[in-house]
Amino acid sequence: MNSPAGSPTRLVGLLAASGRTLATAESLTGGALAARVVDVPGASAVFRGGVVAYATELKARLLDVDADLLARRGAVDPDVALAMAAGVRARLGADVGVSTTGVAGPDPQDGVAPGTVYVAVDDGTGEPRVRRLQVEGPRDAVRAASVEAALGLLDEVLSAG
């Protein structure tokens, strides 16, 4: 693979080479992560679909995130990101789930500062990964950085196994 690490082209290639499929669960990125993946020719062979669960209660209803966890900690939390990745993987029948949750701004959400983001990947191996970001800048910069971070973490997981 000659594509740079974290590029959607590389990720689609890694998924295809390993015979695995992908699903996305997005909040603040609003479908931008899924769009980056499906921009790649051949993505249909590996991409199962995505869920944009922007509203907090949809994370519980559509992605099986524990409602008590959401009530206790809010939607911007590492365990919520992990649950979203696992939930979309299970719900859409994919081998790998990747998620984004955070605050794009300009205002805080549930006491969490704008630019706080969690991305997570669950590949069903029992070793899911989550990463926290603190991004400075306007909404579009926070959202773009979140997509890039999710793609980067996905690359790390796919490259490792």
Side-chain angles (χ1 to χ4, degrees), residues 52-102:
V52 176
Y54 207 68
T56 298
E57 73 272 7
L58 292 179
K59 291 170 182 62
R61 191 176 331 148
L62 300 177
L63 298 170
D64 300 321
V65 177
D66 183 74
D68 290 335
L69 172 64
L70 289 165
R72 282 191 324 273
R73 298 195 204 159
V76 184
D77 179 84
D79 290 332
V80 170
L82 288 165
M84 289 173 64
V88 79
R89 186 176 67 77
R91 283 286 184 133
L92 299 189
D95 299 302
V96 182
V98 59
S99 69
T100 64
T101 188

Side-chain angles (χ1 to χ4, degrees), residues 76-150:
V76 184
D77 179 84
D79 290 332
V80 170
L82 288 165
M84 289 173 64
V88 79
R89 186 176 67 77
R91 283 286 184 133
L92 299 189
D95 299 302
V96 182
V98 59
S99 69
T100 64
T101 188
V103 184
D107 300 317
Q109 176 185 331
D110 299 327
V112 178
T116 305
V117 176
Y118 293 94
V119 298
V121 174
D122 186 317
D123 67 352
T125 63
E127 297 180 25
R129 295 190 198 180
V130 65
R131 181 162 292 148
R132 182 185 190 276
L133 313 172
Q134 189 62 52
V135 182
E136 298 297 324
R139 282 179 62 79
D140 60 340
V142 173
R143 293 176 70 237
S146 301
V147 169
E148 293 307 317

Side-chain angles (χ1 to χ4, degrees), residues 7-70:
S7 79
T9 300
R10 175 180 161 83
L11 297 173
V12 167
L14 287 169
L15 287 160
S18 65
R20 292 186 282 179
T21 57
L22 175 69
T24 59
E26 301 181 65
S27 187
L28 81 152
T29 51
L33 177 58
R36 288 287 302 280
V37 173
V38 300
D39 278 345
V40 177
S44 61
V46 299
F47 187 65
R48 297 278 302 158
V51 173
V52 176
Y54 207 68
T56 298
E57 73 272 7
L58 292 179
K59 291 170 182 62
R61 191 176 331 148
L62 300 177
L63 298 170
D64 300 321
V65 177
D66 183 74
D68 290 335
L69 172 64
L70 289 165

